[in-house]
Amino acid sequence: MELFTPFDQRSLTLRNRIVVAPMCQYSASDGVPHDWHLVHLGSRAVGGAAAVVAEATAVSPEGRISPGDTGIWNDAQVSAWQPITAFLRSQHAIAGVQLAHAGRKASAQRPWEGGGPLPVGQGDWTTLAPSAIPFDQGWHTPQALDEAGLRKVVDDFRAAAKRALAAGFQLIEVHAAHGYLLHQFLSPLSNHRTDGYGGSFENRTRLVREVLAAVREVWPETLPLWLRVSATDWADGGWSVEQSVRLAREVKPLGVDLIDVSSGGLVPHVKIPVGPGYQVPFAARIRREAEIATGAVGLITGSQQAAQIIGNHEADLVLIARESLRDPYFPRRAAQELGASILPPVQYQRAW
């Protein structure tokens, strides 16, 4: 059963092919994670996942999606992450973190507070983007990044990678999907620049490549680096799977070990053919054509479905998101259903 075979990434070995995808909890204070994050992430490590990737964690205060986002721009945040990563590792799960900058989708309310832009004067902040184009009607008009701003973004990702190592993380995923800042640079729908960061494919991908190079400069060669992309914007004239394949080819020599393949999020009101495993073909195509490892995500909810994706070599890993919220023990349930086993913690062995 290939779903429960090990998978090597540089010096690390994932014990199986099931990864808990990063899922925002919007429950931090000034970017500092708390007991909620320890229990949320820790329970999924106990649940048998090979790696647990912490939510989109902002590389700067202005890079937060909401005031409740976790961060990794100061030492207090590093200290708060350390016991969390230590617990994940104690349960034989790789401790991962997704480094992110929300760009024009920053300064937003928590989902249960409406999810729209923060009202002016109610804790909002200036948002940044490749071009001064709001995400949607009624959203803040972002400030187009100048040369100094671009350098700061790269420097912030580099510094965040250093802090991630100090915090005890073993895996970094750079977030270039779901309509956040790096994705905004990739897509012609949000990037109308006429300088070296806009226009051609080479220019639109420049910031992503610079960020990845900066992260890899300080991230140990022995530890993996992943990149999350939205394979398509699901909109005419936007980022496409063909461009995703080309980007994957170009970032592999920069030290990227896996492409985590999602889709959408850049522009609102698009029609997405949502269904079980609807993004898996993108992961399969990038894996095949770019010859790089991929992770599949999106409405993967069953053990047989996950096993088929890995068994058919459509992806190297499956990343479980909402199903993991419903069942933190999804990997153990899947193993039982498929006739495999994951050794439980000693405290739980009497139940097996």
Side-chain angles (χ1 to χ4, degrees):
M1 180 58 62
E2 290 187 56
L3 184 63
F4 292 98
T5 58
F7 182 65
D8 293 331
Q9 286 266 278
R10 296 192 181 245
S11 68
L12 303 181
T13 297
L14 282 71
R15 56 181 166 177
N16 56 56
R17 306 303 183 97
I18 302 173
V19 173
V20 174
M23 292 175 283
C24 290
Q25 300 297 294
Y26 305 103
S27 300
S29 300
D30 296 322
V32 175
H34 295 294
D35 289 347
W36 176 265
H37 302 87
L38 172 62
V39 174
H40 164 68
L41 297 169
S43 62
R44 282 144 187 87
V46 172
V52 177
V53 185
E55 64 194 79
T57 297
V59 299
S60 62
E62 64 272 18
R64 293 170 296 163
I65 304 166
S66 81
D69 285 27
T70 56
I72 197 158
W73 67 80
N74 64 37
D75 292 341
Q77 294 157 357
V78 170
S79 295
W81 279 119
Q82 286 170 341
I84 298 172
T85 61
F87 183 80
L88 299 181
R89 297 194 310 271
S90 77
Q91 299 305 306
H92 311 291
I94 303 301
V97 64
Q98 186 183 65
L99 301 184
H101 191 303
R104 69 180 186 178
K105 293 177 77 173
S107 191
Q109 301 167 322
R110 295 173 178 87
W112 53 85
E113 295 168 344
L118 285 169
V120 175
Q122 297 186 31
D124 64 311
W125 61 88
T126 300
T127 58
L128 304 170
S131 305
I133 304 170
F135 169 63
D136 195 8
Q137 186 176 358
W139 279 72
H140 313 288
T141 298
Q143 181 182 99
L145 282 159
D146 59 14
E147 184 175 349
L150 290 166
R151 298 281 67 78
K152 183 179 185 300
V153 168
V154 175
D155 289 343
D156 286 343
F157 272 94
R158 181 188 290 110
K162 287 183 180 179
R163 289 194 176 97
L165 186 64
F169 289 106
Q170 303 161 284
L171 160 69
I172 283 177
E173 176 173 275
V174 170
H175 200 354
H178 299 164
Y180 299 122
L181 182 67
L182 297 183
H183 185 185
Q184 292 161 28
F185 271 87
L186 294 176
S187 177
L189 298 178
S190 49
N191 184 346
H192 292 186
R193 299 176 74 98
T194 57
D195 63 0
Y197 291 86
S200 67
F201 173 89
E202 179 183 5
N203 287 353
R204 285 183 284 110
T205 60
R206 188 181 306 278
L207 185 61
V208 171
R209 290 184 280 109
E210 289 180 349
V211 163
L212 291 169
V215 168
R216 190 37 101 182
E217 281 176 13
V218 299
W219 189 241
E221 284 294 319
T222 55
L223 298 178
L225 173 60
W226 295 0
L227 177 67
R228 172 166 268 194
V229 301
S230 282
T232 175
D233 290 336
W234 300 106
D236 291 341
W239 184 255
S240 66
V241 65
E242 290 80 13
Q243 293 175 88
S244 295
V245 170
R246 183 176 173 186
L247 178 64
R249 290 193 187 114
E250 295 191 3
V251 300
K252 185 177 178 180
L254 299 178
V256 172
D257 300 293
L258 180 140
I259 307 295
D260 176 3
V261 187
S262 189
S263 71
L266 184 88
V267 290
H269 317 304
V270 295
K271 293 182 178 180
I272 301 176
V274 175
Y278 69 105
Q279 295 171 151
V280 172
F282 299 136
R285 180 170 176 182
I286 291 170
R287 184 180 190 271
R288 181 177 65 252
E289 297 184 13
E291 298 182 333
I292 190 170
T294 61
V297 64
L299 284 181
I300 301 171
T301 60
S303 57
Q304 291 287 352
Q305 179 192 18
Q308 185 175 27
I309 291 167
I310 301 301
N312 290 344
H313 305 294
E314 295 174 285
D316 298 274
L317 300 172
V318 291
L319 287 95
I320 308 297
R322 285 182 174 88
E323 186 63 20
S324 178
L325 294 181
R326 290 184 283 267
D327 180 6
Y329 292 84
F330 172 82
R332 296 193 183 281
R333 173 165 58 85
Q336 186 177 39
E337 292 172 353
L338 296 170
S341 64
I342 301 174
L343 187 67
V346 292
Q347 297 91 335
Y348 287 6
Q349 284 182 5
R350 64 182 179 273
W352 261 257

